[in-house]
Amino acid sequence: MPDLVVDGGHRSCVTLLLELRRHVESLPDGAVVHLIAADPAAPIDLPAWCHLTGHTYLGRVDTPTGGPTFALRVNAAARATDPRQPWRAV
């Protein structure tokens, strides 16, 4: 079971990364986050963001809702990103 589920619906990946960044900051090391994201860029952008920051991308997961859902594990030692541009490391 995930520690947090973020339902991104049909929002763009940029918007989702902004929201995800805020959530991840308050989660403990090792927490698992499920991100529901219909944006076709999510399977590319989320692993890239995890690689940039140091969080662990766990891949796509099957859920009862059937929506495209992706998982990551929070790393407390992750690299910070710009609050307005989460795809840029600080």
Side-chain angles (χ1 to χ4, degrees), residues 52-75:
L52 169 74
T53 59
H55 297 295
T56 304
Y57 179 67
L58 302 174
R60 188 169 175 158
V61 294
D62 292 326
T63 63
T65 61
T69 304
F70 307 90
L72 67 96
R73 179 170 289 115
V74 174
N75 178 352

Side-chain angles (χ1 to χ4, degrees), residues 1 16 20 25 27 43 50 88:
M1 296 302 292
L16 294 177
L20 184 60
E25 287 179 338
L27 292 171
C50 287
R88 295 186 189 268

Side-chain angles (χ1 to χ4, degrees), residues 13-86:
C13 250
V14 171
T15 304
L16 294 177
L17 288 179
L18 288 166
E19 183 177 347
L20 184 60
R21 182 190 179 281
R22 285 191 305 271
H23 285 297
V24 166
E25 287 179 338
S26 64
L27 292 171
D29 188 47
V32 173
V33 178
H34 281 186
L35 175 65
I36 303 167
D39 185 327
I44 298 164
D45 289 350
L46 188 57
W49 184 79
C50 287
H51 178 74
L52 169 74
T53 59
H55 297 295
T56 304
Y57 179 67
L58 302 174
R60 188 169 175 158
V61 294
D62 292 326
T63 63
T65 61
T69 304
F70 307 90
L72 67 96
R73 179 170 289 115
V74 174
N75 178 352
R79 192 171 333 157
T81 59
D82 185 309
R84 294 175 312 275
Q85 299 176 348

